[in-house]
């Protein structure tokens, strides 16, 4: 099979940063599905791993895919050959930038019926991250008992933010999203954000002007270090904060003590990496999301498209991801 790999830390402009090689086609065993990959999407994790991988014979990146089940392991219970699926995969295993990929059935769902493979590939990683961040880490009741409470989303126009806005609105929350450029402001408003504030200016001042000097919840999908002080300032007493970007230096948890505020990490690979007993939660939430997409309750989150999966197109995709100007998700459909 064809596989696109990275072998050592290189700038994406370097031709050898991502190269195409031939790898043996894997076989399914245990609870694994062998999926024939039809489309992939790009996430910040792709660029981070590419930039930090040690010298190897080749690491296959890619943690968003949609494809067709080619083979099922003997312990698989919920899928059959020919099923059309979507998933984010497991960071400890070879990724989706290959013609075939093995993935545990517990973190897979049938793709939305109304979407093509490329459109479906945009959703898994950001859906799982946003769902777990809001409904599990922040404890927001997705059935509506927290309706009317306020949520500040830092990084609203990115992939995770694009899903979090919609999931929060489904739960009835008032959503304040950060965005600075006109295109990103329009994007978050189109997805349902009630208010937009500019992350390049004082967040506390802007929040006070729109009537939210403090907020019930904060979901930081951008930079934990940079926003730690202002998050501690604007979170309500007994409020909750979740972050997904690791800190580069220790942060002062003491800033949250007086308010008895809670801070939690969200890492969507925890369940698959550590093989938690509830791994199948991710497959189930993707299945539920597919239903919401099919009835039109979740809007498209694709900002850009590229055609034909190859080393060349993946390098272009990584460049766009590293530019900091990508709105929503970038997807790549089909093999050359």
């Amino acid at each position: 099979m064809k596989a696109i790999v990275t072998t050592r830390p290189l700038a994406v402009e370097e031709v050898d940063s991502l190269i195409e090689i031939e790898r043996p086609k894997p076989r399914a065993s245990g609870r694994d599905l062998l999926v024939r990959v039809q489309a992939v999407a790009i996430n910040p994790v792709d660029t981070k791993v590419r930039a930090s991988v040690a010298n190897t014979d080749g690491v296959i990146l890619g943690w968003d895919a949609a494809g067709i089940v080619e083979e099922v392991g003997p312990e698989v219970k919920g899928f059959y050959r020919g099923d059309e699926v979507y998933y984010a995969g497991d960071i400890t295993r070879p990724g989706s930038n290959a013609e075939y990929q093995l993935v545990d059935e517990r973190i897979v769902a049938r793709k939305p019926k109304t979407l093509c493979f490329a459109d479906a590939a945009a959703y898994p990683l950001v859906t799982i991250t946003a769902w777990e961040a809001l409904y599990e880490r922040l404890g927001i009741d997705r059935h509506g008992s927290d309706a009317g409470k306020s949520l500040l989303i830092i990084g609203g126009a990115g992939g995770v933010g694009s899903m979090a806005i919609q999931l929060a609105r489904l739960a009835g929350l008032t959503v304040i999203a950060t965005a600075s450029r006109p295109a990103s402001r329009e994007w978050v408003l189109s997805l349902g954000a009630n208010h937009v504030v500019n992350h390049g200016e004082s967040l506390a001042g802007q929040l006070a002007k729109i009537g939210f000097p403090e907020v019930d919840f904060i979901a930081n999908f951008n930079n934990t270090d940079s926003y730690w002080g202002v998050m501690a300032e604007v979170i309500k007493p007994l409020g909750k904060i979740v972050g997904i970007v690791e800190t580069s230096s220790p942060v002062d948890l003491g800033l949250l003590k007086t308010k008895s505020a809670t801070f939690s990490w969200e890492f969507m690979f925890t369940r698959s990496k550590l093989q938690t007993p509830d791994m199948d939660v991710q497959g189930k939430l993707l299945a539920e999301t597919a239903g919401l997409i099919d009835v039109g309750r979740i809007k498209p989150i694709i900002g850009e498209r590229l055609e034909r999966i190859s080393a060349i197109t993946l390098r272009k995709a990584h460049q766009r991801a590293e530019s900091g100007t990508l709105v929503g998700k970038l997807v790549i459909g089909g093999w050359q």
Side-chain angles (χ1 to χ4, degrees):
M1 68 174 185
K2 293 178 183 177
I4 315 300
V5 304
T6 185
T7 60
R8 62 192 190 281
L10 288 172
V12 71
E13 292 78 14
E14 298 284 344
V15 173
D16 289 341
S17 61
L18 292 165
I19 59 175
E20 183 176 309
I21 65 171
E22 289 288 326
R23 282 274 176 88
K25 179 180 173 182
R27 298 296 305 273
S29 62
R31 299 195 69 171
D32 278 348
L33 308 175
L34 178 64
V35 177
R36 178 156 43 95
V37 175
Q38 302 293 303
V40 299
I42 298 299
N43 295 286
V45 65
D46 295 79
T47 63
K48 290 179 180 179
V49 174
R50 193 204 78 247
S52 62
V53 68
N55 293 348
T56 69
D57 293 332
V59 174
I60 303 173
L61 307 177
W63 292 281
D64 259 332
I68 302 169
V69 175
E70 181 89 358
E71 182 180 276
V72 299
E75 298 174 25
V76 170
K77 301 175 182 178
F79 294 91
Y80 302 91
R81 178 182 169 87
D83 284 345
E84 297 182 349
V85 296
Y86 76 146
Y87 56 90
D90 176 349
I91 199 166
T92 67
R93 305 182 71 179
S96 57
N97 295 344
E99 289 184 295
Y100 295 91
Q101 182 184 12
L102 290 173
V103 59
D104 191 299
E105 68 164 333
R106 289 171 288 182
I107 56 175
V108 176
R110 288 173 178 81
K111 78 171 183 65
K113 297 176 182 178
T114 56
L115 298 185
C116 66
F117 288 107
D119 288 3
Y123 285 95
L125 185 144
V126 296
T127 295
I128 295 170
T129 303
W131 186 293
E132 291 182 348
L134 270 57
Y135 299 155
E136 296 183 16
R137 309 293 167 257
L138 295 180
I140 294 168
D141 178 20
R142 62 193 180 93
H143 301 295
S145 68
D146 288 313
K149 291 184 178 180
S150 53
L151 168 68
L152 170 64
I153 297 178
I154 300 173
V160 181
S162 296
M163 278 304 298
I165 289 169
Q166 300 189 70
L167 294 178
R169 294 294 291 132
L170 288 177
L173 270 67
T174 297
V175 176
I176 307 156
T178 70
S180 58
R181 295 176 295 118
S184 55
R185 290 178 62 86
E186 291 176 13
W187 177 265
V188 299
L189 288 170
S190 73
L191 293 174
N194 301 94
H195 306 277
V196 185
V197 291
N198 188 336
H199 52 251
E201 302 174 9
S202 167
L203 287 184
Q206 292 176 85
L207 289 169
K209 284 182 180 179
I210 61 174
F212 295 91
E214 293 182 317
V215 293
D216 296 288
F217 305 105
I218 300 174
N220 186 343
F221 302 134
N222 186 268
N223 185 308
T224 308
D225 293 298
S226 297
Y227 293 100
W228 187 259
V230 71
M231 291 194 298
E233 180 182 354
V234 302
I235 192 68
K236 283 185 178 180
L238 308 181
K240 296 181 179 181
I241 305 169
V242 64
I244 67 170
V245 179
E246 63 273 15
T247 57
S248 59
S249 58
V251 294
D252 184 4
L253 283 172
L255 294 178
L256 304 180
K257 182 180 179 182
T258 301
K259 293 183 178 180
S260 295
T262 300
F263 176 76
S264 300
W265 285 117
E266 161 56 20
F267 182 54
M268 66 132 295
F269 293 116
T270 295
R271 284 183 160 115
S272 56
K273 181 176 182 177
L274 302 179
Q275 295 284 294
T276 62
D278 63 350
M279 266 180 69
D280 62 345
V281 166
Q282 293 190 340
K284 290 175 181 177
L285 73 85
L286 286 177
E288 185 168 343
T289 301
L292 292 171
I293 292 169
D294 284 337
V295 298
R297 299 191 69 192
I298 295 291
K299 297 179 181 179
I301 59 170
I302 298 170
E304 297 182 25
R305 301 173 186 269
L306 293 174
E307 295 298 328
R308 305 301 178 191
I309 303 167
S310 69
I312 293 173
T313 53
L314 280 165
R315 285 196 296 270
K316 289 179 181 178
H318 279 232
Q319 285 179 308
R320 288 294 297 123
E322 290 179 349
S323 72
T325 60
L326 184 61
V327 172
K329 291 295 294 289
L330 187 156
V331 299
I332 309 171
W335 285 86
Q336 65 177 9

